[in-house]
Amino acid sequence: MKKIKIVLVLSLLFSFSCASNDYWKLKIEVPGRTAFNLDQFSEIVITNFLIEEETKDFDLNQELVDYFSFEIGQNFNGTVSIKEITFEEEPFKNEAFWKNLLPDRKEAVLFTGGVQYTEEIRKAILQKQKARFEDPFVSKKRSLAERRFYTLNLDLYIIDAKTGKALYKRNFKESKGFENPKQTAPFAFFELIQRVKAKFFRNILGEASIQERYLIYD
């Protein structure tokens, strides 16, 4: 109901302002809501990731660890450290497994996850547009083109080191196709992980978003 009321109010304000032309259109930063408060913890320990399938000529785990350790370090006031672990079967549902990893660091959380990074070649039929004065009865020319698609399927977890319980869990699935059939996995990964970062940080750290507002004056 609140969302509906807000939309109605904004619609009315907009219609009144359009009628009188006495308004300013403003862009403001609106703070985002966090999934939970990270400030209650003093340390984030980033572990290696559970890789479903290795990517040829590309160390996916190392790229994820390096990327998140840097980005989180830029946005978290506490300590960010890295710990390599050996995964067991179904590790994310095993609270005892995570609880025993950091017995002396009860004010820490573990940042971990599972990932699948895939690529595939898809073929598409491209139809050439007719020229302005081309014979309309002549069939259009078609060509077969290849596109390379990359998909990053990433499950992220933040786990309480004291209890072993997952405080946060979310799946991110991003994909993109490239006209260049020789597009490399590292290049595509950087674009996809940037999308994940934007959504993840907005959810966890409450990054502000730009929204439009209308200010009416007499």
PDB file of all heavy atoms in Angstrom, residues 13 19 38 56 58 63 73 79 86 96 106-107 110 118 130 133 137 144 164 169-170 176 180 186 193 212 218:
ATOM      1  N   LEU A  13       1.672  15.161  -8.059  1.00  0.00           N
ATOM      2  CA  LEU A  13       2.627  16.269  -8.046  1.00  0.00           C
ATOM      3  C   LEU A  13       3.111  16.591  -9.444  1.00  0.00           C
ATOM      4  O   LEU A  13       3.253  17.750  -9.821  1.00  0.00           O
ATOM      5  CB  LEU A  13       3.814  15.918  -7.131  1.00  0.00           C
ATOM      6  CG  LEU A  13       3.528  15.866  -5.630  1.00  0.00           C
ATOM      7  CD1 LEU A  13       4.782  15.407  -4.893  1.00  0.00           C
ATOM      8  CD2 LEU A  13       3.076  17.221  -5.125  1.00  0.00           C
ATOM      9  N   ALA A  19       0.986  21.395 -15.148  1.00  0.00           N
ATOM     10  CA  ALA A  19      -0.063  22.351 -15.467  1.00  0.00           C
ATOM     11  C   ALA A  19       0.393  23.783 -15.203  1.00  0.00           C
ATOM     12  O   ALA A  19       0.079  24.716 -15.942  1.00  0.00           O
ATOM     13  CB  ALA A  19      -1.308  22.038 -14.644  1.00  0.00           C
ATOM     14  N   LEU A  38      26.810  -4.786   8.682  1.00  0.00           N
ATOM     15  CA  LEU A  38      28.146  -5.374   8.726  1.00  0.00           C
ATOM     16  C   LEU A  38      29.030  -4.742   9.801  1.00  0.00           C
ATOM     17  O   LEU A  38      30.031  -5.332  10.208  1.00  0.00           O
ATOM     18  CB  LEU A  38      28.826  -5.216   7.366  1.00  0.00           C
ATOM     19  CG  LEU A  38      28.509  -6.258   6.292  1.00  0.00           C
ATOM     20  CD1 LEU A  38      29.199  -5.891   4.987  1.00  0.00           C
ATOM     21  CD2 LEU A  38      28.938  -7.644   6.736  1.00  0.00           C
ATOM     22  N   LYS A  56      39.383 -23.035 -18.645  1.00  0.00           N
ATOM     23  CA  LYS A  56      40.687 -23.216 -19.272  1.00  0.00           C
ATOM     24  C   LYS A  56      41.438 -21.889 -19.376  1.00  0.00           C
ATOM     25  O   LYS A  56      40.869 -20.868 -19.778  1.00  0.00           O
ATOM     26  CB  LYS A  56      40.513 -23.823 -20.665  1.00  0.00           C
ATOM     27  CG  LYS A  56      41.830 -24.132 -21.364  1.00  0.00           C
ATOM     28  CD  LYS A  56      41.572 -24.742 -22.737  1.00  0.00           C
ATOM     29  CE  LYS A  56      42.889 -25.037 -23.442  1.00  0.00           C
ATOM     30  NZ  LYS A  56      42.665 -25.603 -24.798  1.00  0.00           N
ATOM     31  N   PHE A  58      42.322 -19.797 -17.218  1.00  0.00           N
ATOM     32  CA  PHE A  58      41.767 -18.693 -16.442  1.00  0.00           C
ATOM     33  C   PHE A  58      41.508 -19.173 -15.021  1.00  0.00           C
ATOM     34  O   PHE A  58      40.700 -20.076 -14.792  1.00  0.00           O
ATOM     35  CB  PHE A  58      40.463 -18.208 -17.094  1.00  0.00           C
ATOM     36  CG  PHE A  58      39.804 -17.065 -16.381  1.00  0.00           C
ATOM     37  CD1 PHE A  58      40.481 -15.881 -16.153  1.00  0.00           C
ATOM     38  CD2 PHE A  58      38.489 -17.166 -15.939  1.00  0.00           C
ATOM     39  CE1 PHE A  58      39.873 -14.822 -15.504  1.00  0.00           C
ATOM     40  CE2 PHE A  58      37.865 -16.111 -15.291  1.00  0.00           C
ATOM     41  CZ  PHE A  58      38.572 -14.937 -15.077  1.00  0.00           C
ATOM     42  N   GLU A  63      40.737 -14.946  -9.364  1.00  0.00           N
ATOM     43  CA  GLU A  63      40.149 -13.693  -9.829  1.00  0.00           C
ATOM     44  C   GLU A  63      39.049 -13.229  -8.886  1.00  0.00           C
ATOM     45  O   GLU A  63      38.938 -12.037  -8.572  1.00  0.00           O
ATOM     46  CB  GLU A  63      39.584 -13.858 -11.249  1.00  0.00           C
ATOM     47  CG  GLU A  63      40.638 -14.059 -12.319  1.00  0.00           C
ATOM     48  CD  GLU A  63      41.503 -12.825 -12.529  1.00  0.00           C
ATOM     49  OE1 GLU A  63      41.026 -11.708 -12.238  1.00  0.00           O
ATOM     50  OE2 GLU A  63      42.651 -12.974 -12.986  1.00  0.00           O
ATOM     51  N   GLY A  73      37.405  -4.325   0.695  1.00  0.00           N
ATOM     52  CA  GLY A  73      38.353  -3.534   1.475  1.00  0.00           C
ATOM     53  C   GLY A  73      38.164  -2.043   1.314  1.00  0.00           C
ATOM     54  O   GLY A  73      38.466  -1.257   2.219  1.00  0.00           O
ATOM     55  N   THR A  79      38.736  -5.195   9.276  1.00  0.00           N
ATOM     56  CA  THR A  79      39.832  -5.922   8.631  1.00  0.00           C
ATOM     57  C   THR A  79      39.295  -6.891   7.585  1.00  0.00           C
ATOM     58  O   THR A  79      38.291  -7.567   7.820  1.00  0.00           O
ATOM     59  CB  THR A  79      40.631  -6.720   9.683  1.00  0.00           C
ATOM     60  OG1 THR A  79      41.129  -5.822  10.671  1.00  0.00           O
ATOM     61  CG2 THR A  79      41.789  -7.464   9.036  1.00  0.00           C
ATOM     62  N   THR A  86      39.586 -26.154   2.504  1.00  0.00           N
ATOM     63  CA  THR A  86      39.270 -27.338   1.716  1.00  0.00           C
ATOM     64  C   THR A  86      37.795 -27.646   1.905  1.00  0.00           C
ATOM     65  O   THR A  86      37.328 -27.853   3.025  1.00  0.00           O
ATOM     66  CB  THR A  86      40.113 -28.546   2.173  1.00  0.00           C
ATOM     67  OG1 THR A  86      41.498 -28.227   2.039  1.00  0.00           O
ATOM     68  CG2 THR A  86      39.785 -29.771   1.328  1.00  0.00           C
ATOM     69  N   ALA A  96      28.451 -26.644  11.259  1.00  0.00           N
ATOM     70  CA  ALA A  96      29.595 -27.062  12.075  1.00  0.00           C
ATOM     71  C   ALA A  96      30.914 -26.846  11.331  1.00  0.00           C
ATOM     72  O   ALA A  96      31.928 -26.495  11.930  1.00  0.00           O
ATOM     73  CB  ALA A  96      29.440 -28.528  12.471  1.00  0.00           C
ATOM     74  N   LYS A 106      35.693 -14.753  16.879  1.00  0.00           N
ATOM     75  CA  LYS A 106      34.232 -14.816  16.996  1.00  0.00           C
ATOM     76  C   LYS A 106      33.533 -13.572  16.451  1.00  0.00           C
ATOM     77  O   LYS A 106      32.329 -13.593  16.221  1.00  0.00           O
ATOM     78  CB  LYS A 106      33.844 -15.023  18.469  1.00  0.00           C
ATOM     79  CG  LYS A 106      34.417 -16.297  19.077  1.00  0.00           C
ATOM     80  CD  LYS A 106      33.952 -17.542  18.321  1.00  0.00           C
ATOM     81  CE  LYS A 106      34.465 -18.806  18.988  1.00  0.00           C
ATOM     82  NZ  LYS A 106      34.049 -20.031  18.247  1.00  0.00           N
ATOM     83  N   GLU A 107      34.264 -12.497  16.272  1.00  0.00           N
ATOM     84  CA  GLU A 107      33.641 -11.269  15.765  1.00  0.00           C
ATOM     85  C   GLU A 107      33.814 -11.139  14.256  1.00  0.00           C
ATOM     86  O   GLU A 107      33.656 -10.049  13.703  1.00  0.00           O
ATOM     87  CB  GLU A 107      34.262 -10.049  16.462  1.00  0.00           C
ATOM     88  CG  GLU A 107      34.093 -10.050  17.969  1.00  0.00           C
ATOM     89  CD  GLU A 107      32.630 -10.104  18.390  1.00  0.00           C
ATOM     90  OE1 GLU A 107      31.813  -9.432  17.743  1.00  0.00           O
ATOM     91  OE2 GLU A 107      32.314 -10.822  19.350  1.00  0.00           O
ATOM     92  N   LEU A 110      32.575 -14.926   7.496  1.00  0.00           N
ATOM     93  CA  LEU A 110      33.227 -15.548   6.341  1.00  0.00           C
ATOM     94  C   LEU A 110      32.472 -15.157   5.075  1.00  0.00           C
ATOM     95  O   LEU A 110      31.240 -15.226   5.018  1.00  0.00           O
ATOM     96  CB  LEU A 110      33.240 -17.066   6.487  1.00  0.00           C
ATOM     97  CG  LEU A 110      34.129 -17.603   7.616  1.00  0.00           C
ATOM     98  CD1 LEU A 110      33.422 -18.707   8.364  1.00  0.00           C
ATOM     99  CD2 LEU A 110      35.460 -18.085   7.068  1.00  0.00           C
ATOM    100  N   THR A 118      30.474 -20.327 -17.523  1.00  0.00           N
ATOM    101  CA  THR A 118      30.390 -21.120 -18.747  1.00  0.00           C
ATOM    102  C   THR A 118      30.446 -20.222 -19.979  1.00  0.00           C
ATOM    103  O   THR A 118      30.146 -19.026 -19.923  1.00  0.00           O
ATOM    104  CB  THR A 118      29.074 -21.923 -18.782  1.00  0.00           C
ATOM    105  OG1 THR A 118      27.958 -21.027 -18.714  1.00  0.00           O
ATOM    106  CG2 THR A 118      29.012 -22.903 -17.628  1.00  0.00           C
ATOM    107  N   LYS A 130      17.173  -4.369 -46.984  1.00  0.00           N
ATOM    108  CA  LYS A 130      17.143  -3.953 -48.382  1.00  0.00           C
ATOM    109  C   LYS A 130      17.509  -2.488 -48.528  1.00  0.00           C
ATOM    110  O   LYS A 130      17.221  -1.674 -47.658  1.00  0.00           O
ATOM    111  CB  LYS A 130      15.742  -4.163 -48.954  1.00  0.00           C
ATOM    112  CG  LYS A 130      15.350  -5.617 -49.157  1.00  0.00           C
ATOM    113  CD  LYS A 130      13.979  -5.706 -49.798  1.00  0.00           C
ATOM    114  CE  LYS A 130      13.587  -7.162 -50.051  1.00  0.00           C
ATOM    115  NZ  LYS A 130      12.255  -7.269 -50.673  1.00  0.00           N
ATOM    116  N   PHE A 133      15.940   1.631 -52.840  1.00  0.00           N
ATOM    117  CA  PHE A 133      15.303   1.418 -54.136  1.00  0.00           C
ATOM    118  C   PHE A 133      15.502   0.006 -54.665  1.00  0.00           C
ATOM    119  O   PHE A 133      15.435  -0.240 -55.854  1.00  0.00           O
ATOM    120  CB  PHE A 133      15.849   2.442 -55.155  1.00  0.00           C
ATOM    121  CG  PHE A 133      15.593   3.875 -54.736  1.00  0.00           C
ATOM    122  CD1 PHE A 133      16.622   4.656 -54.258  1.00  0.00           C
ATOM    123  CD2 PHE A 133      14.316   4.400 -54.803  1.00  0.00           C
ATOM    124  CE1 PHE A 133      16.387   5.969 -53.861  1.00  0.00           C
ATOM    125  CE2 PHE A 133      14.077   5.722 -54.414  1.00  0.00           C
ATOM    126  CZ  PHE A 133      15.115   6.508 -53.936  1.00  0.00           C
ATOM    127  N   PHE A 137      10.814  -7.617 -54.763  1.00  0.00           N
ATOM    128  CA  PHE A 137      10.546  -9.037 -55.001  1.00  0.00           C
ATOM    129  C   PHE A 137      11.816  -9.894 -54.908  1.00  0.00           C
ATOM    130  O   PHE A 137      11.747 -11.109 -54.952  1.00  0.00           O
ATOM    131  CB  PHE A 137       9.893  -9.229 -56.365  1.00  0.00           C
ATOM    132  CG  PHE A 137       8.561  -8.536 -56.463  1.00  0.00           C
ATOM    133  CD1 PHE A 137       8.438  -7.348 -57.150  1.00  0.00           C
ATOM    134  CD2 PHE A 137       7.434  -9.067 -55.833  1.00  0.00           C
ATOM    135  CE1 PHE A 137       7.209  -6.694 -57.225  1.00  0.00           C
ATOM    136  CE2 PHE A 137       6.211  -8.431 -55.913  1.00  0.00           C
ATOM    137  CZ  PHE A 137       6.090  -7.231 -56.606  1.00  0.00           C
ATOM    138  N   LEU A 144      25.138 -16.315 -41.934  1.00  0.00           N
ATOM    139  CA  LEU A 144      25.213 -17.043 -40.661  1.00  0.00           C
ATOM    140  C   LEU A 144      26.364 -16.458 -39.840  1.00  0.00           C
ATOM    141  O   LEU A 144      27.501 -16.389 -40.312  1.00  0.00           O
ATOM    142  CB  LEU A 144      25.438 -18.525 -40.913  1.00  0.00           C
ATOM    143  CG  LEU A 144      25.325 -19.458 -39.691  1.00  0.00           C
ATOM    144  CD1 LEU A 144      23.901 -19.434 -39.149  1.00  0.00           C
ATOM    145  CD2 LEU A 144      25.711 -20.884 -40.084  1.00  0.00           C
ATOM    146  N   GLY A 164      28.310 -20.351  12.608  1.00  0.00           N
ATOM    147  CA  GLY A 164      28.313 -21.131  11.379  1.00  0.00           C
ATOM    148  C   GLY A 164      27.068 -20.941  10.534  1.00  0.00           C
ATOM    149  O   GLY A 164      26.907 -21.586   9.493  1.00  0.00           O
ATOM    150  N   LYS A 169      22.561 -14.845   1.875  1.00  0.00           N
ATOM    151  CA  LYS A 169      22.738 -15.730   0.731  1.00  0.00           C
ATOM    152  C   LYS A 169      21.980 -15.143  -0.450  1.00  0.00           C
ATOM    153  O   LYS A 169      20.813 -14.756  -0.325  1.00  0.00           O
ATOM    154  CB  LYS A 169      22.211 -17.136   1.019  1.00  0.00           C
ATOM    155  CG  LYS A 169      22.236 -18.039  -0.211  1.00  0.00           C
ATOM    156  CD  LYS A 169      21.496 -19.351   0.016  1.00  0.00           C
ATOM    157  CE  LYS A 169      21.447 -20.165  -1.275  1.00  0.00           C
ATOM    158  NZ  LYS A 169      20.683 -21.432  -1.112  1.00  0.00           N
ATOM    159  N   ARG A 170      22.661 -15.082  -1.585  1.00  0.00           N
ATOM    160  CA  ARG A 170      21.970 -14.600  -2.783  1.00  0.00           C
ATOM    161  C   ARG A 170      22.663 -15.166  -4.023  1.00  0.00           C
ATOM    162  O   ARG A 170      23.885 -15.283  -4.072  1.00  0.00           O
ATOM    163  CB  ARG A 170      21.975 -13.081  -2.842  1.00  0.00           C
ATOM    164  CG  ARG A 170      21.199 -12.540  -4.036  1.00  0.00           C
ATOM    165  CD  ARG A 170      21.063 -11.048  -4.023  1.00  0.00           C
ATOM    166  NE  ARG A 170      20.461 -10.579  -5.266  1.00  0.00           N
ATOM    167  CZ  ARG A 170      20.265  -9.304  -5.573  1.00  0.00           C
ATOM    168  NH1 ARG A 170      20.597  -8.361  -4.708  1.00  0.00           N
ATOM    169  NH2 ARG A 170      19.723  -8.959  -6.728  1.00  0.00           N
ATOM    170  N   LYS A 176      26.179 -12.473 -21.049  1.00  0.00           N
ATOM    171  CA  LYS A 176      26.324 -11.492 -22.126  1.00  0.00           C
ATOM    172  C   LYS A 176      26.864 -12.183 -23.366  1.00  0.00           C
ATOM    173  O   LYS A 176      27.718 -13.069 -23.280  1.00  0.00           O
ATOM    174  CB  LYS A 176      27.263 -10.356 -21.709  1.00  0.00           C
ATOM    175  CG  LYS A 176      27.378  -9.259 -22.762  1.00  0.00           C
ATOM    176  CD  LYS A 176      28.233  -8.099 -22.289  1.00  0.00           C
ATOM    177  CE  LYS A 176      28.312  -7.029 -23.382  1.00  0.00           C
ATOM    178  NZ  LYS A 176      29.138  -5.880 -22.949  1.00  0.00           N
ATOM    179  N   ASN A 180      32.217 -10.784 -31.261  1.00  0.00           N
ATOM    180  CA  ASN A 180      33.507 -11.394 -31.556  1.00  0.00           C
ATOM    181  C   ASN A 180      33.515 -12.837 -31.038  1.00  0.00           C
ATOM    182  O   ASN A 180      33.525 -13.064 -29.820  1.00  0.00           O
ATOM    183  CB  ASN A 180      34.634 -10.592 -30.900  1.00  0.00           C
ATOM    184  CG  ASN A 180      36.001 -11.194 -31.173  1.00  0.00           C
ATOM    185  OD1 ASN A 180      36.149 -12.125 -31.969  1.00  0.00           O
ATOM    186  ND2 ASN A 180      37.017 -10.660 -30.521  1.00  0.00           N
ATOM    187  N   PRO A 186      38.564 -13.982 -19.621  1.00  0.00           N
ATOM    188  CA  PRO A 186      38.885 -12.935 -18.636  1.00  0.00           C
ATOM    189  C   PRO A 186      38.203 -11.607 -18.933  1.00  0.00           C
ATOM    190  O   PRO A 186      37.724 -10.929 -18.026  1.00  0.00           O
ATOM    191  CB  PRO A 186      40.416 -12.805 -18.746  1.00  0.00           C
ATOM    192  CG  PRO A 186      40.860 -14.122 -19.263  1.00  0.00           C
ATOM    193  CD  PRO A 186      39.789 -14.573 -20.194  1.00  0.00           C
ATOM    194  N   ILE A 193      31.286  -9.502 -13.645  1.00  0.00           N
ATOM    195  CA  ILE A 193      31.481  -9.330 -12.208  1.00  0.00           C
ATOM    196  C   ILE A 193      31.185  -7.903 -11.784  1.00  0.00           C
ATOM    197  O   ILE A 193      30.792  -7.642 -10.641  1.00  0.00           O
ATOM    198  CB  ILE A 193      32.915  -9.745 -11.784  1.00  0.00           C
ATOM    199  CG1 ILE A 193      32.989  -9.987 -10.267  1.00  0.00           C
ATOM    200  CG2 ILE A 193      33.929  -8.693 -12.202  1.00  0.00           C
ATOM    201  CD1 ILE A 193      32.160 -11.125  -9.778  1.00  0.00           C
ATOM    202  N   GLU A 212      14.898  10.639  -9.351  1.00  0.00           N
ATOM    203  CA  GLU A 212      14.365  11.941  -9.737  1.00  0.00           C
ATOM    204  C   GLU A 212      13.224  12.343  -8.812  1.00  0.00           C
ATOM    205  O   GLU A 212      12.395  11.524  -8.427  1.00  0.00           O
ATOM    206  CB  GLU A 212      13.866  11.909 -11.185  1.00  0.00           C
ATOM    207  CG  GLU A 212      14.982  11.743 -12.206  1.00  0.00           C
ATOM    208  CD  GLU A 212      14.465  11.798 -13.630  1.00  0.00           C
ATOM    209  OE1 GLU A 212      13.226  11.744 -13.809  1.00  0.00           O
ATOM    210  OE2 GLU A 212      15.277  11.885 -14.573  1.00  0.00           O
ATOM    211  N   ASP A 218       5.399  28.042  -5.608  1.00  0.00           N
ATOM    212  CA  ASP A 218       4.344  28.986  -5.999  1.00  0.00           C
ATOM    213  C   ASP A 218       4.945  30.181  -6.755  1.00  0.00           C
ATOM    214  O   ASP A 218       6.053  30.598  -6.473  1.00  0.00           O
ATOM    215  CB  ASP A 218       3.627  29.492  -4.744  1.00  0.00           C
ATOM    216  CG  ASP A 218       2.894  28.345  -4.053  1.00  0.00           C
ATOM    217  OD1 ASP A 218       2.429  27.444  -4.792  1.00  0.00           O
ATOM    218  OD2 ASP A 218       2.792  28.352  -2.821  1.00  0.00           O
TER     219      ASP A 218
END
